């Protein structure tokens, strides 16, 4: 196996269905896996494979030694993971917000508007 070929890892999660955990730039896939409709793979055109509506791979070759398709990542629609803030960072953000907007009328001063009756 070429060192730059990675492994596509998917899992089935309750309430979310099939979730793509890892999607390397290049990977191999067996034809048996492609034929198994229970894993969320669909062919798009003649040479693209959509995995669980999250990543799109293009078939760029065939490895005869392992009898696998060689894939290259075309698009990745998975959300970007967001780093969680530490407690110190959360408290710092809260204190800055309180300093700026915590006083009554500091954020948006209230201006009363009167309309004269036109009789």
């Amino acid at each position: 196996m070429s060192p730059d070929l990675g492994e596509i890892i998917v899992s089935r999660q309750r309430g979310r269905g099939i979730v793509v955990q890892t999607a390397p730039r290049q990977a191999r896939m067996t034809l048996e896996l492609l034929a198994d409709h229970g894993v969320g793979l669909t062919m798009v055109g003649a040479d693209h494979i959509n995995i669980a509506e999250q990543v799109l791979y293009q078939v760029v070759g065939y490895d005869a030694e392992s009898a696998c398709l060689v894939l290259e990542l075309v698009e990745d629609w998975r959300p970007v993971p967001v780093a969680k803030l530490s407690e110190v960072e959360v408290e710092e953000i809260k204190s800055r917000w309180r300093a700026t907007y915590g006083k009554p009328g500091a954020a948006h001063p209230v201006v009363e508007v009167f309309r004269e009756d036109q009789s």
Side-chain angles (χ1 to χ4, degrees), residues 85-111:
L85 297 175
S86 69
E87 289 297 322
V88 173
E89 292 170 317
V90 169
E91 287 304 318
E92 180 183 323
I93 292 169
K94 284 182 180 179
S95 66
R96 277 188 287 154
W97 187 90
R98 284 187 200 112
T100 305
Y101 305 110
K103 302 172 208 129
H108 303 286
V110 176
V111 178

Side-chain angles (χ1 to χ4, degrees), residues 43-78:
M43 288 296 298
V44 180
D47 64 346
H48 285 77
I49 299 171
N50 185 321
I51 303 175
E53 299 294 327
Q54 295 170 35
V55 292
L56 182 67
Y57 279 93
Q58 181 178 14
V59 178
V60 293
Y62 181 76
D63 182 3
E65 185 177 311
S66 63
C68 291
L69 297 173
V70 178
L71 307 176
E72 190 166 307
L73 184 65
V74 176
E75 292 186 57
D76 189 344
W77 301 298
R78 297 175 296 159

